[in-house]
Amino acid sequence: MEVALDVDPTKTAGQGFGSATGQYMDVCLKFDTRTLTGYALRIIRTPKHAKAVDFQLMRYDNGKTTPLGEAVSATCYRTGCHIKVSLHGDKLEASVTTDTPLPQPDDPALLTQVHLSAKVAPSPHGGFCLQHTGSCGESTTMLHHLSIKWE
């Protein structure tokens, strides 16, 4: 299964969400919407950086989330953001890029692109979920294009 999503966060400096209080967006796939079980890419604003967000692969199990690996901080969650999440067999992958020209971040630990992967248990589910917990108004994210492939 593969999900591709193009978004434009209203916040333009890469912070994506209104405040650094753990606001996030999950792009879920191979997801059972009744039991809230499956996998996701989480994009979350934390107090670590004023102009970046964290990206982390997650497992949902009956509504409880567990991180799959370490989060990475990046500046690419801004206008022209392309998100791709896929699960083929036991390999969960996510990539996030942007068409917006990015200056090199002041902090060398910040990435300008994201590529994550984790080995997971195959899932029989085929659903999709998008959850955005951010604020309204100036902290929204415009969804432009969504495509889902399930073979």
Side-chain angles (χ1 to χ4, degrees):
M1 183 172 194
E2 207 171 272
V3 174
L5 180 63
D6 294 336
V7 301
D8 285 339
T10 305
K11 296 286 187 175
T12 59
Q15 72 273 43
F17 302 89
S19 59
T21 57
Q23 294 180 349
Y24 67 91
M25 182 172 79
D26 280 355
V27 180
C28 307
L29 76 165
K30 297 295 276 184
F31 197 76
D32 183 345
T33 57
R34 289 185 199 115
T35 64
L36 303 180
T37 298
Y39 297 103
L41 169 66
R42 177 164 289 176
I43 303 165
I44 184 169
R45 183 158 181 207
T46 71
K48 293 190 316 190
H49 302 285
K51 296 181 179 177
V53 293
D54 279 2
F55 297 84
Q56 189 163 33
L57 295 173
M58 306 294 288
R59 183 182 81 211
Y60 272 80
D61 187 20
N62 292 310
K64 296 186 190 311
T65 56
T66 305
L68 298 170
E70 296 295 317
V72 297
S73 300
T75 60
C76 56
Y77 191 64
R78 55 179 73 213
T79 302
C81 184
H82 306 288
I83 301 166
K84 182 177 175 185
V85 187
S86 64
L87 178 58
H88 298 288
D90 65 354
K91 190 169 186 181
L92 178 64
E93 295 182 295
S95 66
V96 184
T97 60
T98 184
D99 294 334
T100 301
L102 299 177
Q104 191 58 36
D106 293 336
D107 183 342
L110 290 175
L111 304 174
T112 57
Q113 297 182 9
V114 173
H115 301 285
L116 299 171
S117 66
K119 188 173 179 179
V120 298
S123 171
H125 307 299
F128 165 78
C129 171
L130 182 72
Q131 179 175 343
H132 188 283
T133 67
S135 309
C136 297
E138 295 178 355
S139 302
T140 58
T141 295
M142 174 68 77
L143 308 178
H144 289 287
H145 177 81
L146 170 68
S147 72
I148 300 173
K149 293 180 186 176
W150 189 41
E151 301 169 355

